[in-house]
Amino acid sequence: MGARTALDYGDSGAKMVLIDREAELALLDTALAGCMAGHARIVLVEGAVGCGKSELADTVAESAEKAGAVVLRAMGSAAERALPLAVLGQLVNSAPPGTLPEPAQNQGPSRIEAMQAFSDAVHDLSTRTPVVICVDDLHLVDDLSCRYLLQLARRARNARILLVLTEPVHERSDDPVFGTELLRQPNFTRVRLERLGRYAVAEVLAQGLDGQPDTAGDERLADHAGHFWTVSGGNPLLLRALVEEYRVARRNSPAGAIPEPEAGGAFTQAVLACLYRCGPRTTQLAEALAVLGRTGTAELAAQLLGITPPAAVQGVAALNAAGILESFRFRHPAVRRSLLDRMDPAARTGLHRRAARLAHQYGMPASAVAGQLLAAQHADEDWAVPVLRAAAEQLLADGKAVPAAACLELAYQGCTDDEQRAEFRTRLAAVTWRTNPGAAERHLAEPLDALRADRPAPARMGPLARLLAAQGRIDEAGDVLARLATATGDTGRRPDPQHGTAPVSSLGSALGSRPGGQLPGHRDDPLDGLSAFPRWSGGRTRAAGSPPPSTAAHSSVNAATVAVAPAALWAIPDGVQDGTAAEDAELFLRGTTLAAATVEPIVQALRVLLHLGGAQRAVHWSQVIGEEAARREAPGWQALFTSLWAEALLRQGDLQGAEERAAHALKLVPERGGSVFLCGVAATLVRARTAMGHYDAAARVLSQPVPEGLAGSFHGLGYLRARGQYHLATSRYHAALGDFLDIGRRTKRWGLDRPLLLPWRTDAAEALLQLGEAHQAERFVTDQLATRDAANPWVSGISLRLRAATREPRERQILLAKSVDELRRSGDRYELARSMAELGQVLKELGEPTRANMVNRRAWHLAQECGAEALREKTLPGHSAAGGVPEDPAPVAAYADLEAKLSDSEKRVAMLAVHGHTNREIAMKLYITVSTVEQHLTRVYRKLSISSRQELPVDLQLSVTEMA
């Protein structure tokens, strides 16, 4: 026989090349040659299950048959091990008819005679032709057949007989005499089969499993030989199953990716088959190790199963030899999952319970004990609840929120004390906010019920108030703080739940300053650390992550001396320059790392940046931090920052982008019903779809049920505005007015009445105009222009547009021109398009069709860029995006080098001309002479090869920075 011999592999009849078996094949070659020459040989092939013992024996049998020898075959099995002479009967049946006698089972001298008669018959047959006897799975052969074989081995020293036996290396026959007697025979040879090495696996993959390389795929498998060797352990049977599973899975996998084996796939099925062949004891040991997981050892497995440690050690050695285990761990988690899945559920639960007791008894880490308790869903032991609590805190410290929440949930189920159960719910709310905001809100229902029943101690109220404030549930947070002030005797500075204000003084040493609960001796406010800028929020508390006052790095984040109110966490800084606030917010974002303790301060900083620093900067930071949340596998946080991203895009007038981001934020969470936060996200989606003219889609979102506490939350304000804008767009003006006025009442009560946050007055004015109440509309606009936010171009531009609607055409033109200028500076393209559309209409009324046409063209294109279909149709009715508009501007490609052709001064003049301003108006805005304007326009016309301002490209646009 050569160094490479093809053989039948398994029941499928597939072929596989024997690699790395040269020495073993040489020994069998020698044994077969000796048999053919008249020298009997006995060969015992040992090896772990799946390593090719049967295949090697088959190779000898095939070669012997080709050489003219008679081959007798038999196989031991667990089912026939109790049947006397079952294997010997197989050998007799495989011999030529009449050549071997039927074996006798009688006791006494007759049996000995029968054994001698069988040996003589085999000897007689060998005189005519060589005889090769192959017996597979010797450890499962019945005892009487073993005695016949041993008798033959003793008498077959000078005959043409080759006896080939196979046996697992760690599953030997129970009869020690048989093995010892074989060793005593001078013609005995032992062949040990090991698993394939890394290089042998690479060679198998390179040549192809059947010896014929598959040019479509197997040549690439060799590049990943290390992966296949690690997973299969070099076990030939497992390797083949792994490659077969890969061949199927790679059709649906990205190019270059290596599909991992799955529970129930060909690879795990092959592992289970190997365990079955190893016997029930080894299978039970594997199941025990699967239950123990990372804490598994032979000693623990022995105690878990109630077997002796030597038996466990032997079984572990067999599993390691087969490549199923590496030490005490399965080489791939899919194997462990498959073993656990196939176990009887009751038996599996019982093993997990015993494993939990053992882990606790041995003093293992709380997380290891909790893992077993979770698998068993068992917390009835006296020590279970404290262990689960400790494990949850450790898992949170390691950034593993999902298993931490599972520990807290099980601890809650195992706890019988109502106050402790409420505490667990509060802690669960803090933990699950990272993954599921809706579930986090629902977890607070029980603590709130306990609060209303006057059950919780003051130490439980602080964390509850903190979570409610962080979730924007202002009324409920204020109520908890009021009860807390009463409970601690701080009645002189009790918070007013109607205004969401917190007491200025300390609320007592019983308060915990962190979501986890009480910190002994800590006198911090419950809302400590929630604000990025406690000084601006009216807070005595320190900023999240800031150093002590003596070492604070920046004046805006120094510790201050006033308690933070729940509503103030959602406000924007008052009494500070907008630019300074925005710069400090961005500085905070640059120096802060996303973590459970910094989420709320980061949200506040992003909101400050959105409202005071420009939406473009907020878009950038929301995207950056959202991506970091995704990397941390925190879908709840990711949804939070994606929703802020959507808000920032909406403030820029990017309706399509806002709709896409808001919809994505809703998809990130596993459930949507009953969540205050998700109603806020839905509000952004409704506003975007309403502005786009997708009223049916907006109505479907609004038709979803809302939670009971929405009215008392900050997110409820956004929901009211979204619903009001939808009512306004669908001609339900009274309903819209009611929503906008409701916003006003709540923002005044909470101290959040800032047009930069919610310009409810101009919203109400728009509804009043539709109802014919121009005088009332003017009053609301005047009030908004009297606020400090009127200096902001976004607030000013919107307010001026609504004021223009109450004026005569000539004054309306002036106000709308100012509105356009302000909104151009604000960066909100949608609101700019609305003001330009109004300006185009009034120019048309004033008999200036040329200017009106230019302005309307620009408004139409802005609306198209924003995705505002309804506004686009209103601006130029009957002109679709596909059909273009009258006097369609020159192709954009013709002005691709516009920045290089025009100077900054020329671009400013040209852009104002595009927006319909006269030369005199341009001169007044830019503080230059009319003659200078005319000269700039002349140069612009020449550079762009046009003859009039009507031919100026509509897409001519300057950035907000250039216009500032």
Side-chain angles (χ1 to χ4, degrees):
M1 290 183 287
R4 299 286 191 270
T5 305
L7 56 125
D8 286 337
Y9 196 99
D11 296 336
S12 64
K15 300 288 185 179
M16 182 174 183
V17 173
L18 285 177
I19 302 292
D20 201 25
R21 295 288 186 253
E22 289 83 358
E24 294 83 357
L25 290 169
L27 286 173
L28 290 171
D29 268 338
T30 302
L32 182 57
C35 167
M36 303 296 287
H39 305 291
R41 293 288 186 271
I42 304 171
V43 178
L44 177 63
V45 181
E46 294 180 325
V49 61
C51 285
K53 302 182 299 296
S54 301
E55 287 69 22
L56 207 60
D58 286 343
T59 301
V60 176
E62 290 178 0
S63 298
E65 286 177 337
K66 291 177 182 178
V70 171
V71 178
L72 309 182
R73 301 171 188 259
M75 175 183 293
S77 67
E80 295 184 344
R81 189 174 186 184
L83 298 177
L85 300 174
V87 167
L88 200 67
Q90 295 180 44
L91 294 176
V92 171
N93 292 334
S94 64
T99 57
L100 298 181
E102 290 294 331
Q105 300 183 23
N106 299 328
Q107 299 289 335
S110 60
R111 176 188 294 175
I112 297 174
E113 293 173 358
M115 293 169 62
Q116 292 175 348
F118 177 79
S119 297
D120 292 340
V122 174
H123 271 269
D124 182 61
L125 180 61
S126 70
T127 61
R128 299 190 296 273
T129 181
V131 178
V132 176
I133 300 175
C134 296
V135 179
D136 202 8
D137 287 338
L138 183 62
H139 63 298
L140 298 178
V141 174
D142 61 276
D143 292 340
L144 199 51
S145 293
C146 284
R147 295 185 185 183
Y148 271 79
L149 293 174
L150 187 57
Q151 177 71 12
L152 175 63
R154 289 168 175 163
R155 294 168 56 88
R157 296 188 179 181
N158 297 307
R160 294 191 296 174
I161 298 174
L162 173 60
L163 185 59
V164 180
L165 310 172
T166 72
E167 184 178 49
V169 67
H170 295 286
E171 294 282 342
R172 302 190 184 279
S173 171
D174 293 335
D175 184 4
V177 175
F178 183 85
T180 303
E181 286 298 317
L182 287 181
L183 284 173
R184 292 177 58 191
Q185 306 307 311
N187 55 348
F188 173 78
T189 302
R190 188 190 303 272
V191 175
R192 179 71 175 267
L193 292 182
E194 301 292 349
R195 290 178 283 123
L196 299 178
R198 186 187 299 266
Y199 295 108
V201 169
E203 190 174 353
V204 169
L205 296 175
Q207 294 192 19
L209 296 179
D210 55 2
Q212 298 295 326
D214 179 6
T215 56
D218 282 352
E219 290 180 342
R220 292 194 297 270
L221 294 185
D223 297 334
H224 307 291
H227 169 79
F228 285 99
W229 178 81
T230 299
V231 175
S232 68
N235 184 305
L237 176 62
L238 301 185
L239 175 63
R240 179 176 185 83
L242 182 63
V243 173
E244 290 297 338
E245 184 171 349
Y246 166 81
R247 282 175 164 172
V248 175
R250 71 179 177 185
R251 300 167 189 162
N252 301 320
S253 300
I258 305 178
E260 294 291 338
E262 298 181 356
F267 174 73
T268 57
Q269 290 298 313
V271 173
L272 295 176
C274 288
L275 292 174
Y276 176 79
R277 292 187 62 189
C278 287
R281 289 180 299 182
T282 305
T283 301
Q284 290 171 3
L285 179 66
E287 291 173 347
L289 291 172
V291 166
L292 291 170
R294 293 184 176 275
T295 63
T297 63
E299 181 182 0
L300 279 176
Q303 292 193 45
L304 194 61
L305 295 175
I307 61 177
T308 63
V313 170
Q314 180 181 357
V316 169
L319 294 172
N320 274 279
I324 297 173
L325 288 183
E326 185 173 20
S327 187
F328 302 105
R329 311 285 182 270
F330 293 98
R331 287 181 170 270
H332 197 278
V335 176
R336 179 172 183 259
R337 290 196 300 268
S338 293
L339 278 167
L340 293 173
D341 290 345
R342 70 182 292 275
M343 293 176 66
D344 176 71
R348 181 177 63 240
T349 299
L351 282 179
H352 279 300
R353 287 187 179 186
R354 292 200 292 275
R357 296 190 192 101
L358 284 173
H360 181 67
Q361 176 184 336
Y362 277 81
M364 291 185 183
S367 58
V369 183
Q372 297 296 343
L373 292 173
L374 287 172
Q377 282 298 291
H378 175 73
D380 295 340
E381 310 287 350
D382 293 339
W383 45 264
V385 171
V387 165
L388 288 166
R389 185 204 298 264
E393 297 304 325
Q394 182 58 55
L395 289 166
L396 284 174
D398 295 338
K400 300 176 181 178
V402 174
C407 288
L408 290 172
E409 185 67 48
L410 185 58
Y412 167 82
Q413 295 173 12
C415 183
T416 57
D417 180 78
D418 289 341
E419 187 172 326
Q420 265 199 334
R421 285 169 67 88
E423 178 190 358
F424 277 123
R425 280 298 182 204
T426 304
R427 193 71 181 107
L428 265 170
V431 173
T432 54
W433 179 253
R434 172 179 178 141
T435 55
N436 187 344
E441 293 177 21
R442 286 193 300 279
H443 283 310
L444 294 184
E446 186 171 336
L448 285 171
D449 289 341
L451 179 78
R452 297 181 186 106
D454 294 324
R455 288 201 304 267
R460 313 298 186 207
M461 297 184 192
L464 178 59
R466 179 185 183 88
L467 286 173
L468 291 168
Q471 292 176 4
R473 298 161 71 174
I474 297 172
D475 281 349
E476 291 170 308
D479 181 43
V480 175
L481 289 173
R483 291 173 182 268
L484 181 57
T486 301
T488 56
D490 197 1
T491 55
R493 306 189 71 97
R494 184 181 306 168
D496 181 0
Q498 295 300 314
H499 293 82
T501 56
V504 174
S505 63
S506 172
L507 293 175
S509 60
L511 296 183
S513 67
R514 292 290 177 267
Q518 182 177 2
L519 293 180
H522 219 75
R523 300 180 59 88
D524 287 350
D525 190 276
L527 308 187
D528 178 41
L530 287 182
S531 175
F533 315 104
R535 181 166 62 94
W536 295 345
S537 303
R540 180 189 63 252
T541 62
R542 57 182 173 79
S546 67
S550 60
T551 59
H554 196 276
S555 61
S556 297
V557 293
N558 281 343
T561 58
V562 188
V564 177
L569 297 173
W570 299 89
I572 52 178
D574 199 1
V576 65
Q577 292 292 329
D578 291 353
T580 301
E583 291 302 323
D584 287 346
E586 192 160 24
L587 181 64
F588 177 84
L589 293 173
R590 292 181 189 277
T592 304
T593 302
L594 179 62
T598 61
V599 171
E600 287 79 17
I602 288 174
V603 169
Q604 188 187 38
L606 283 171
R607 294 181 59 79
V608 169
L609 201 59
L610 168 61
H611 296 298
L612 300 181
Q616 186 173 2
R617 294 159 75 182
V619 165
H620 166 73
W621 281 106
S622 298
Q623 181 178 0
V624 168
I625 300 172
E627 291 171 350
E628 176 62 23
R631 285 191 292 270
R632 293 174 181 265
E633 298 181 349
W637 294 353
Q638 189 181 357
L640 175 61
F641 295 114
T642 303
S643 70
L644 288 170
W645 185 359
E647 282 190 56
L649 290 171
L650 191 60
R651 180 60 71 90
Q652 285 185 310
D654 185 355
L655 306 181
Q656 293 174 330
E659 179 193 34
E660 179 185 338
R661 291 296 93 200
H664 182 61
L666 292 174
K667 289 179 181 178
L668 285 170
V669 294
E671 47 191 302
R672 306 185 191 179
S675 169
V676 169
F677 161 69
L678 294 179
C679 283
V681 182
T684 303
L685 184 61
V686 168
R687 288 179 58 202
R689 287 177 173 175
T690 299
M692 296 170 74
H694 299 169
Y695 304 132
D696 289 343
R700 285 194 294 272
V701 178
L702 290 172
S703 67
Q704 300 296 317
V706 298
E708 183 179 349
L710 181 62
S713 70
F714 178 81
H715 300 294
L717 299 176
Y719 190 87
L720 281 174
R721 187 172 189 226
R723 191 174 67 184
Q725 289 184 348
Y726 169 77
H727 288 325
L728 194 61
T730 54
S731 304
R732 303 173 195 176
Y733 306 124
H734 286 288
L737 180 62
D739 284 339
F740 298 142
L741 293 179
D742 201 4
I743 294 173
R745 285 188 289 268
R746 296 183 193 180
T747 54
K748 289 178 180 179
R749 178 161 59 90
W750 291 337
L752 297 177
D753 188 11
R754 294 287 300 273
L756 269 173
L757 275 176
L758 291 160
W760 64 270
R761 292 177 178 83
T762 44
D763 289 338
E766 193 168 356
L768 287 166
L769 286 171
Q770 295 296 332
L771 292 169
E773 299 287 345
H775 179 71
Q776 289 293 330
E778 169 66 22
R779 183 171 65 83
F780 277 108
V781 173
T782 300
D783 287 348
Q784 183 155 299
L785 286 171
T787 65
R788 63 158 294 187
D789 288 346
N792 183 277
W794 186 73
V795 175
S796 174
I798 294 174
S799 303
L800 289 173
R801 183 177 69 241
L802 269 297
R803 169 165 282 181
T806 65
R807 297 293 198 268
E808 295 298 322
R810 182 57 63 182
E811 188 178 358
R812 192 187 313 160
Q813 176 195 354
I814 297 172
L815 290 172
L816 286 171
K818 292 180 180 179
S819 173
V820 167
D821 288 342
E822 292 288 276
L823 290 171
R824 189 186 303 119
R825 291 172 52 215
S826 77
D828 190 332
R829 292 178 297 160
Y830 174 67
E831 294 295 343
L832 173 61
R834 294 185 67 188
S835 291
M836 292 196 72
E838 295 290 334
L839 179 58
Q841 180 63 32
V842 76
L843 288 173
K844 187 175 181 181
E845 293 176 13
L846 291 172
E848 299 187 48
T850 301
R851 293 182 63 192
N853 183 46
M854 291 187 62
V855 173
N856 282 334
R857 282 196 304 145
R858 184 59 185 148
W860 190 96
H861 277 274
L862 274 174
Q864 182 179 347
E865 292 172 8
C866 295
E869 299 174 8
L871 178 59
R872 192 184 63 205
E873 176 63 21
K874 177 182 176 182
T875 303
L876 290 174
H879 297 287
S880 66
V885 296
E887 301 181 18
D888 213 14
V892 176
Y895 301 97
D897 57 349
L898 192 60
E899 296 294 328
K901 289 185 175 182
L902 302 182
S903 66
D904 290 344
S905 298
E906 291 167 349
K907 283 189 287 185
R908 288 187 175 90
V909 171
M911 192 195 67
L912 290 172
V914 165
H915 289 88
H917 292 287
T918 65
N919 289 357
R920 184 171 297 278
E921 289 170 343
I922 296 173
M924 294 177 62
K925 287 180 177 294
L926 299 181
Y927 301 100
I928 57 178
T929 65
V930 175
S931 175
T932 302
V933 172
E934 292 172 349
Q935 293 173 20
H936 281 321
L937 285 175
T938 299
R939 287 194 291 271
V940 168
Y941 298 160
R942 184 175 67 251
K943 290 180 179 181
L944 300 183
S945 302
I946 58 178
S947 59
S948 66
R949 66 171 61 204
Q950 285 77 15
E951 299 178 63
L952 284 169
V954 173
D955 59 339
L956 181 61
Q957 180 94 318
L958 292 183
S959 67
V960 176
T961 304
E962 289 174 302
M963 285 302 300

